[in-house]
Amino acid sequence: MDTIKMTPRGMLCTSNGSTILLDPKTASDGINFVSHAHIDHLPSSGGGTLLASKYTARLASHRGRDFGNHTEDIKDCTLYDTGHIFGSRGILFGDTFYTGDICTRDRGFLQGARIPKCKTLITECTFGLPEFVFPPIHQIRLQVDELISTMYSRGIPVVLMGYELGKAQTISQMFSHWEPLYYHDSVKVINDMHREWNVPLKPALGHTEAQRQGLLDKKPWVMIAPKMSAKSPFILKMKKYGAITVSFSGWANSNRFPYTNGSDYSIQLSDHCDFNELTEMVEASGAENIYTIHGFVSEFADHLKNLGFNAKPLMVMTS
């Protein structure tokens, strides 16, 4: 029988005498599974074997984390694409499936996750409240295209902002039909890495080179940038060109959890499942036991119990 235990380093899963530490804060001397390359899921230090996709290993190294002892293949473990960001994976270990961060919605080059049947499911629930139901991608594209078109008719540049890794690549592809298109330098580096992996992202100049050539003076234009505060030096510089800012977040339309970052417009786009998709994923897994982690763990577990599931929140230990 699989067992799950919270430790100061992270979540320890045991099956058939073998153990794996899931998305640890610090790696153990044994096997450590790393679901994807967002900083909050990467171990800060430690040894042992790091089990992850080759894309996660490369992106983690780019972000300053040591992935020297890396493998994609360990006996009795199967990795599944979770559709969160490029290279993100969940792991089936014995009868247990751990999702990491997951999205079952197709988003351009990112295909929605299809999870395996399992007896025990450990799922994130970042958006595990009923208020979080996201609009379809085609509706988001139409909304933002109309906004950009209006700004272009007035000669106003547009800065589209999302997480440097993940969301920035999604919006780079979604709005690549606008010309001229530029990338913040940090986004350009990661986009170029994705292009090496045959991800169809449009090549474009970084903002430093575009500015050096005087291209930002020739308005309007669209730029893809990381999520930033309105008071950041970069955004203040773009404001001197008259640019408006558009941030993309699953929190964008929430009244209880406002998220604007001081941007001019906020669009509800997420790389996680929404509330309904989380529920559908749990139902599709066929799991007998569900553990909730990362997000509204108690609220989502209560929702699942009301539906007849055996669900329990997992609280991460801090010491």
Side-chain angles (χ1 to χ4, degrees):
M1 177 178 178
D2 294 352
T3 60
I4 301 162
K5 179 182 177 182
M6 300 308 299
T7 75
R9 282 184 163 179
M11 189 166 28
L12 194 66
C13 183
T14 302
S15 178
N16 298 326
S18 300
T19 60
I20 294 182
L21 199 58
L22 304 173
D23 278 337
K25 297 181 183 300
T26 57
S28 71
D29 291 334
I31 300 171
N32 305 270
F33 171 67
V34 181
S35 62
H36 64 286
H38 280 154
I39 291 295
D40 60 334
H41 285 256
L42 294 177
S44 59
S45 60
T49 299
L50 298 174
L51 174 62
S53 73
K54 62 182 179 182
Y55 308 109
T56 292
R58 170 82 185 279
L59 289 163
S61 296
H62 169 72
R63 309 192 102 188
R65 299 299 170 90
D66 180 14
F67 254 64
N69 192 15
H70 163 254
T71 183
E72 285 191 288
D73 185 22
I74 287 181
K75 184 181 178 181
D76 298 326
C77 296
T78 306
L79 303 188
Y80 289 81
D81 190 338
T82 56
H84 176 59
I85 66 173
F86 195 71
S88 64
R89 300 290 186 266
I91 184 171
L92 182 65
F93 181 58
D95 292 325
T96 296
F97 184 70
Y98 168 63
T99 66
D101 286 348
I102 191 166
C103 185
T104 55
R105 199 177 332 107
D106 292 347
R107 300 175 329 284
F109 65 88
L110 290 169
Q111 299 300 300
R114 304 292 182 266
I115 70 169
K117 296 292 184 180
C118 57
K119 288 186 178 179
T120 299
L121 176 68
I122 307 170
T123 179
E124 64 118 328
C125 50
T126 302
F127 293 104
L129 291 180
E131 70 177 81
F132 295 110
V133 177
F134 302 144
I137 293 297
H138 69 85
Q139 183 178 318
I140 294 170
R141 184 181 290 110
L142 178 62
Q143 179 184 3
V144 176
D145 276 343
E146 288 178 349
L147 174 60
I148 296 174
S149 180
T150 297
M151 294 302 145
Y152 264 46
S153 70
R154 301 172 185 172
I156 298 174
V158 179
V159 179
L160 305 177
M161 298 187 298
Y163 288 121
E164 176 184 284
L165 171 59
K167 207 164 293 176
Q169 287 69 57
T170 298
I171 60 179
S172 291
Q173 186 181 48
M174 287 177 69
F175 303 107
S176 62
H177 51 283
W178 288 98
E179 290 282 0
L181 177 70
Y182 304 116
Y183 299 137
H184 184 278
D185 290 347
S186 64
V187 171
K188 174 177 167 52
V189 171
I190 294 180
N191 281 12
D192 286 348
M193 292 173 68
H194 280 65
R195 290 175 59 235
E196 290 177 19
W197 299 325
N198 298 316
V199 176
L201 296 180
K202 185 177 180 177
L205 291 178
H207 77 274
T208 299
E209 181 62 19
Q211 187 173 19
R212 187 189 68 79
Q213 295 185 27
L215 298 175
L216 301 188
D217 294 311
K218 300 174 182 179
K219 301 176 284 188
W221 38 260
V222 168
M223 184 179 295
I224 313 297
K227 183 186 74 171
M228 296 186 200
S229 162
K231 297 181 180 179
S232 69
F234 173 80
I235 295 301
L236 292 175
K237 183 180 292 185
M238 294 303 105
K239 286 293 183 180
K240 291 181 179 179
Y241 292 101
I244 62 105
T245 55
V246 184
S247 63
F248 293 80
S249 171
W251 306 96
N253 293 351
S254 174
N255 293 323
R256 286 193 292 165
F257 308 97
Y259 175 92
T260 63
N261 228 22
S263 55
D264 298 306
Y265 300 89
S266 294
I267 304 296
Q268 195 176 34
L269 175 68
S270 179
D271 45 21
H272 294 260
C273 286
D274 70 10
F275 178 78
N276 290 338
E277 291 162 343
L278 283 170
T279 303
E280 291 166 359
M281 179 191 67
V282 170
E283 293 171 340
S285 74
E288 298 172 3
N289 302 293
I290 299 99
Y291 295 93
T292 56
I293 192 168
H294 302 315
F296 297 101
V297 294
S298 297
E299 295 89 341
F300 191 62
D302 286 343
H303 162 68
L304 293 176
K305 284 188 281 188
N306 288 336
L307 294 177
F309 290 100
N310 182 24
K312 178 181 178 181
L314 282 176
M315 305 296 185
V316 178
M317 295 173 58
T318 58
S319 63

